[in-house]
Amino acid sequence: MGLERLPSGNFLTNSLILLIGMLAYNILRLCGQESLQEAPDENRPGYRRKVSRRRVRTVMQDLIYLACRVVKHSRSLILSFGKYSVWAQVWDRLYKKFIELPVPGT
């Protein structure tokens, strides 16, 4: 994630960077664990075997670096994945699951 070297000589700045990195790491781990739970109508990509956990690098390669096109339709922005994208269903399921989570304080 690029946090081997801290960007500043200021302790408070480095502390903030580490907190943001911790949040990003935990979100990636959560996405990896949730992507393992397959929906009944969903097929696992053929080149992947069944695993019990995903590494953060694999989650980033499979879900975060997923190619898509941003399409403006009916005054809303939509992510359009390729027709043969094997991870699009997983990404869509994760997005729907996380968008429905309650927001604390509202």
Side-chain angles (χ1 to χ4, degrees), residues 31-101:
C31 288
Q33 289 303 112
E34 291 296 324
S35 70
L36 292 175
Q37 299 167 357
E38 297 178 9
D41 61 341
E42 190 174 293
N43 293 327
R44 187 169 20 96
Y47 65 94
R48 297 281 187 198
R49 62 181 177 182
K50 189 111 172 125
V51 293
S52 60
R53 78 174 191 94
R54 292 199 198 279
R55 294 184 183 271
V56 172
R57 179 178 176 181
T58 306
V59 172
M60 288 173 59
Q61 287 174 344
D62 292 342
L63 296 173
I64 305 301
Y65 300 155
L66 189 60
C68 69
R69 181 176 298 162
V70 179
V71 179
K72 188 173 182 179
H73 179 70
S74 301
R75 289 190 230 167
S76 62
L77 295 176
I78 300 170
L79 292 180
S80 175
F81 297 102
K83 183 177 179 180
Y84 300 106
S85 175
V86 294
W87 290 100
Q89 291 177 344
V90 177
W91 198 95
D92 189 44
R93 183 175 50 84
L94 288 175
Y95 177 76
K96 287 177 182 174
K97 183 170 185 166
F98 291 142
I99 203 71
E100 293 174 357
L101 289 176

Side-chain angles (χ1 to χ4, degrees), residues 11-41:
F11 181 77
L12 291 176
T13 304
N14 290 338
S15 174
L16 178 64
I17 295 296
L18 284 175
L19 285 174
I20 293 171
M22 179 183 66
L23 180 65
Y25 179 81
N26 287 334
I27 290 172
L28 286 172
R29 289 285 299 176
L30 181 64
C31 288
Q33 289 303 112
E34 291 296 324
S35 70
L36 292 175
Q37 299 167 357
E38 297 178 9
D41 61 341

